[in-house]
Coordinates of all heavy atoms in Angstrom, one line a residue:
N297 N 7.1 1.2 1.8 CA 8.3 1.1 2.6 C 8.0 1.6 4.0 O 7.0 2.2 4.2 CB 9.4 2.0 2.0 CG 10.8 1.6 2.4 OD1 11.0 0.9 3.3 ND2 11.8 2.0 1.6
T298 N 8.9 1.3 4.9 CA 8.8 1.8 6.3 C 10.1 2.5 6.6 O 11.2 1.9 6.4 CB 8.6 0.6 7.2 OG1 7.4 -0.1 6.9 CG2 8.4 1.1 8.7
I299 N 10.0 3.7 7.0 CA 11.2 4.5 7.5 C 10.9 5.0 8.8 O 9.9 5.7 9.0 CB 11.5 5.6 6.5 CG1 11.9 5.0 5.1 CG2 12.6 6.5 7.0 CD1 12.1 6.0 4.0
D300 N 11.8 4.8 9.7 CA 11.7 5.3 11.1 C 10.3 5.0 11.7 O 9.7 5.8 12.4 CB 12.0 6.8 11.1 CG 12.3 7.3 12.5 OD1 12.8 6.5 13.3 OD2 12.1 8.5 12.7
G301 N 9.8 3.7 11.5 CA 8.6 3.3 12.0 C 7.3 3.7 11.3 O 6.2 3.4 11.7
E302 N 7.5 4.6 10.3 CA 6.3 5.1 9.5 C 6.2 4.2 8.2 O 7.2 4.2 7.4 CB 6.5 6.5 9.2 CG 6.6 7.5 10.3 CD 5.2 7.9 10.8 OE1 4.2 7.8 10.0 OE2 5.1 8.3 11.9
S303 N 5.0 3.7 8.0 CA 4.8 2.9 6.8 C 4.1 3.9 5.7 O 3.2 4.6 6.1 CB 3.9 1.7 7.0 OG 4.5 0.8 7.9
F304 N 4.5 3.7 4.5 CA 3.9 4.6 3.5 C 4.0 3.9 2.1 O 4.6 2.9 1.9 CB 4.7 5.9 3.4 CG 6.1 5.8 3.0 CD1 6.5 5.9 1.7 CD2 7.1 5.6 4.0 CE1 7.8 5.8 1.3 CE2 8.4 5.5 3.6 CZ 8.8 5.6 2.3
A305 N 3.2 4.5 1.2 CA 3.2 4.1 -0.2 C 3.3 5.3 -1.1 O 2.7 6.3 -0.8 CB 2.0 3.3 -0.5
I306 N 4.1 5.2 -2.2 CA 4.2 6.2 -3.1 C 4.1 5.7 -4.5 O 4.3 4.5 -4.7 CB 5.5 7.0 -3.0 CG1 6.7 6.1 -3.2 CG2 5.6 7.8 -1.7 CD1 8.0 6.9 -3.3
A307 N 3.7 6.5 -5.4 CA 3.6 6.1 -6.9 C 4.9 6.5 -7.5 O 5.4 7.6 -7.3 CB 2.4 6.7 -7.5
T308 N 5.4 5.6 -8.4 CA 6.6 5.9 -9.1 C 6.3 5.7 -10.6 O 5.3 5.0 -11.0 CB 7.8 5.1 -8.7 OG1 7.5 3.7 -8.9 CG2 8.1 5.3 -7.2
G309 N 7.2 6.1 -11.5 CA 7.0 5.9 -12.9 C 5.7 6.3 -13.5 O 5.2 7.4 -13.1
R310 N 5.1 5.5 -14.3 CA 3.8 5.8 -14.9 C 2.7 6.0 -13.9 O 1.8 6.8 -14.1 CB 3.4 4.7 -15.8 CG 4.3 4.5 -17.1 CD 3.8 3.3 -17.8 NE 3.8 3.6 -19.2 CZ 3.1 2.9 -20.1 NH1 2.4 1.9 -19.7 NH2 3.2 3.2 -21.4
A311 N 2.8 5.3 -12.8 CA 1.8 5.4 -11.7 C 1.7 6.8 -11.2 O 0.7 7.3 -10.7 CB 2.0 4.4 -10.6
A312 N 2.9 7.5 -11.2 CA 3.0 8.8 -10.6 C 2.2 9.8 -11.5 O 1.9 10.9 -11.0 CB 4.4 9.2 -10.5
K313 N 1.9 9.5 -12.7 CA 1.2 10.4 -13.6 C -0.3 10.4 -13.1 O -1.0 11.4 -13.4 CB 1.3 10.0 -15.0 CG 2.7 10.2 -15.6 CD 2.8 9.7 -17.0 CE 4.2 9.9 -17.5 NZ 4.4 9.5 -18.9
E314 N -0.8 9.3 -12.5 CA -2.2 9.2 -12.1 C -2.3 9.6 -10.6 O -3.4 10.0 -10.2 CB -2.7 7.8 -12.3 CG -2.7 7.5 -13.8 CD -3.2 6.1 -14.1 OE1 -3.7 5.4 -13.1 OE2 -3.1 5.6 -15.2
F315 N -1.3 9.3 -9.8 CA -1.4 9.6 -8.4 C -0.1 10.3 -7.9 O 1.0 9.8 -8.0 CB -1.6 8.3 -7.6 CG -1.7 8.6 -6.1 CD1 -2.9 9.0 -5.5 CD2 -0.6 8.4 -5.2 CE1 -3.0 9.3 -4.2 CE2 -0.7 8.7 -3.9 CZ -1.9 9.1 -3.3
R316 N -0.3 11.5 -7.5 CA 0.8 12.3 -7.0 C 0.6 12.6 -5.5 O -0.3 13.4 -5.1 CB 0.9 13.7 -7.7 CG 1.2 13.5 -9.1 CD 1.4 14.7 -9.9 NE 1.7 14.4 -11.2 CZ 1.2 14.9 -12.3 NH1 0.4 15.9 -12.2 NH2 1.6 14.5 -13.5
G317 N 1.3 11.8 -4.7 CA 1.2 12.0 -3.3 C 1.8 10.9 -2.5 O 2.5 10.0 -3.1
L318 N 1.6 10.9 -1.3 CA 2.1 9.9 -0.4 C 1.0 9.3 0.5 O 0.1 10.1 0.9 CB 3.2 10.6 0.5 CG 3.8 9.8 1.7 CD1 4.8 8.9 1.1 CD2 4.3 10.7 2.7
V319 N 1.0 8.1 0.7 CA -0.1 7.4 1.5 C 0.6 7.0 2.8 O 1.6 6.1 2.7 CB -0.7 6.2 0.8 CG1 -1.7 5.6 1.7 CG2 -1.3 6.6 -0.5
R320 N 0.2 7.5 3.9 CA 0.8 7.1 5.2 C -0.2 6.0 5.7 O -1.4 6.3 5.8 CB 0.9 8.3 6.2 CG 2.0 9.2 5.7 CD 2.1 10.4 6.6 NE 2.5 10.0 7.9 CZ 2.5 10.7 9.0 NH1 2.0 11.9 8.9 NH2 2.9 10.2 10.2
N321 N 0.4 4.9 6.1 CA -0.4 3.8 6.5 C -0.2 3.4 8.0 O 0.9 3.4 8.5 CB 0.0 2.5 5.7 CG -0.4 2.6 4.3 OD1 -1.5 3.0 4.0 ND2 0.5 2.2 3.4
N322 N -1.3 3.1 8.7 CA -1.2 2.6 10.0 C -0.9 1.1 9.8 O -0.8 0.6 8.7 CB -2.6 2.8 10.8 CG -3.7 2.0 10.2 OD1 -3.6 1.0 9.5 ND2 -4.9 2.5 10.5
P323 N -0.6 0.4 10.9 CA -0.1 -1.0 10.7 C -1.1 -1.9 10.0 O -0.6 -2.7 9.2 CB 0.1 -1.5 12.2 CG 0.4 -0.2 12.9 CD -0.4 0.8 12.3
S324 N -2.4 -1.8 10.2 CA -3.3 -2.7 9.5 C -3.3 -2.3 8.0 O -3.4 -3.2 7.1 CB -4.7 -2.7 10.1 OG -5.2 -1.4 10.2
A325 N -3.3 -1.1 7.7 CA -3.3 -0.7 6.2 C -2.0 -1.1 5.6 O -2.0 -1.5 4.4 CB -3.5 0.8 6.1
A326 N -0.9 -1.0 6.3 CA 0.4 -1.4 5.8 C 0.4 -2.9 5.5 O 0.9 -3.4 4.4 CB 1.5 -1.1 6.7
F327 N -0.3 -3.7 6.3 CA -0.4 -5.1 6.1 C -1.2 -5.4 4.8 O -0.9 -6.2 4.0 CB -1.1 -5.8 7.3 CG -1.3 -7.2 7.2 CD1 -0.2 -8.1 7.3 CD2 -2.6 -7.8 7.2 CE1 -0.4 -9.5 7.2 CE2 -2.8 -9.1 7.1 CZ -1.7 -10.0 7.1
I328 N -2.3 -4.6 4.7 CA -3.1 -4.8 3.5 C -2.3 -4.4 2.2 O -2.4 -5.1 1.2 CB -4.4 -4.0 3.6 CG1 -5.3 -4.6 4.7 CG2 -5.2 -4.0 2.2 CD1 -6.5 -3.8 5.0
F329 N -1.6 -3.4 2.3 CA -0.7 -3.0 1.1 C 0.2 -4.1 0.8 O 0.5 -4.4 -0.4 CB 0.0 -1.7 1.4 CG -0.7 -0.5 0.9 CD1 -1.8 0.1 1.6 CD2 -0.3 0.2 -0.2 CE1 -2.4 1.2 1.2 CE2 -0.9 1.3 -0.7 CZ -2.0 1.8 0.0
E330 N 0.8 -4.7 1.8 CA 1.7 -5.9 1.5 C 1.0 -7.0 0.9 O 1.5 -7.6 -0.1 CB 2.4 -6.3 2.8 CG 3.4 -5.3 3.4 CD 4.5 -5.0 2.4 OE1 5.1 -5.9 1.8 OE2 4.8 -3.8 2.1
L331 N -0.2 -7.3 1.3 CA -1.0 -8.4 0.7 C -1.3 -8.0 -0.8 O -1.3 -8.9 -1.6 CB -2.3 -8.6 1.4 CG -2.3 -9.1 2.8 CD1 -3.6 -9.1 3.5 CD2 -1.8 -10.6 2.8
L332 N -1.5 -6.8 -1.0 CA -1.9 -6.4 -2.4 C -0.8 -6.3 -3.4 O -0.9 -6.0 -4.5 CB -2.6 -5.0 -2.3 CG -4.1 -5.0 -1.8 CD1 -4.6 -3.6 -1.5 CD2 -5.0 -5.8 -2.8
K333 N 0.4 -6.7 -2.9 CA 1.5 -6.8 -3.9 C 1.4 -8.0 -4.7 O 2.0 -8.2 -5.8 CB 2.9 -6.9 -3.1 CG 3.2 -5.5 -2.5 CD 4.6 -5.6 -1.8 CE 5.0 -4.2 -1.3 NZ 6.3 -4.3 -0.6
T334 N 0.5 -9.0 -4.3 CA 0.1 -10.1 -5.1 C -1.4 -10.1 -5.3 O -2.1 -9.4 -4.5 CB 0.5 -11.4 -4.4 OG1 -0.1 -11.6 -3.1 CG2 2.1 -11.5 -4.3
E335 N -1.9 -10.8 -6.2 CA -3.3 -10.9 -6.5 C -4.1 -11.3 -5.3 O -3.8 -12.3 -4.7 CB -3.6 -11.8 -7.7 CG -5.0 -11.8 -8.2 CD -5.3 -10.4 -8.9 OE1 -4.5 -9.8 -9.5 OE2 -6.5 -10.0 -8.8
Q336 N -5.1 -10.5 -4.9 CA -6.0 -10.8 -3.8 C -7.4 -10.6 -4.1 O -7.7 -9.9 -5.1 CB -5.6 -9.9 -2.6 CG -4.2 -10.0 -2.1 CD -3.9 -11.2 -1.4 OE1 -4.8 -11.8 -0.7 NE2 -2.7 -11.8 -1.5
T337 N -8.3 -11.1 -3.3 CA -9.7 -10.8 -3.4 C -10.0 -10.1 -2.0 O -9.3 -10.2 -1.1 CB -10.6 -12.1 -3.5 OG1 -10.4 -12.9 -2.3 CG2 -10.3 -12.9 -4.7
E338 N -11.2 -9.5 -2.0 CA -11.6 -8.9 -0.7 C -11.7 -9.9 0.4 O -11.2 -9.7 1.5 CB -12.9 -8.2 -0.9 CG -13.2 -7.2 0.2 CD -14.4 -6.3 -0.2 OE1 -14.5 -5.8 -1.3 OE2 -15.2 -6.0 0.7
D339 N -12.2 -11.1 0.0 CA -12.3 -12.2 1.0 C -11.0 -12.7 1.5 O -10.8 -13.0 2.6 CB -13.1 -13.4 0.4 CG -14.6 -13.1 0.3 OD1 -15.1 -12.2 1.1 OD2 -15.3 -13.7 -0.5
S340 N -10.0 -12.8 0.6 CA -8.7 -13.3 1.0 C -8.0 -12.2 1.9 O -7.3 -12.6 2.9 CB -7.8 -13.6 -0.2 OG -7.4 -12.4 -0.9
I341 N -8.2 -11.0 1.7 CA -7.7 -10.0 2.6 C -8.4 -10.0 4.0 O -7.7 -10.0 5.0 CB -7.8 -8.5 2.0 CG1 -7.0 -8.4 0.7 CG2 -7.5 -7.5 3.0 CD1 -7.2 -7.2 -0.1
V342 N -9.7 -10.2 4.0 CA -10.4 -10.3 5.2 C -9.9 -11.5 6.0 O -9.7 -11.4 7.2 CB -12.0 -10.4 5.0 CG1 -12.7 -10.8 6.2 CG2 -12.5 -9.1 4.5
S343 N -9.7 -12.6 5.3 CA -9.3 -13.8 6.0 C -7.9 -13.6 6.6 O -7.6 -14.0 7.8 CB -9.2 -15.0 5.0 OG -10.5 -15.4 4.6
A344 N -7.0 -13.0 5.9 CA -5.6 -12.7 6.4 C -5.7 -11.8 7.6 O -5.0 -12.0 8.6 CB -4.8 -12.1 5.3

């Protein structure tokens, strides 16, 4: 999500059992996170 211009990722549900924290993303990392919502390869991310 992005709130007040800050992009972040958090773990919810079962994922929160493995990762407890908040990931603050710069714009390029936020773009990669959006790409990773669907199946990607390293090459497809590089191309994008």
Side-chain angles (χ1 to χ4, degrees):
N297 204 342
T298 301
I299 296 176
D300 199 24
E302 295 276 339
S303 296
F304 63 90
I306 60 171
T308 63
R310 292 173 138 202
K313 292 179 181 179
E314 296 178 10
F315 180 79
R316 294 186 180 136
L318 174 79
V319 179
R320 292 179 63 193
N321 291 317
N322 65 23
S324 57
F327 180 68
I328 293 171
F329 266 78
E330 289 303 311
L331 292 172
L332 286 169
K333 288 182 177 181
T334 60
E335 189 66 35
Q336 299 290 324
T337 64
E338 196 167 318
D339 287 337
S340 69
I341 295 169
V342 168
S343 293

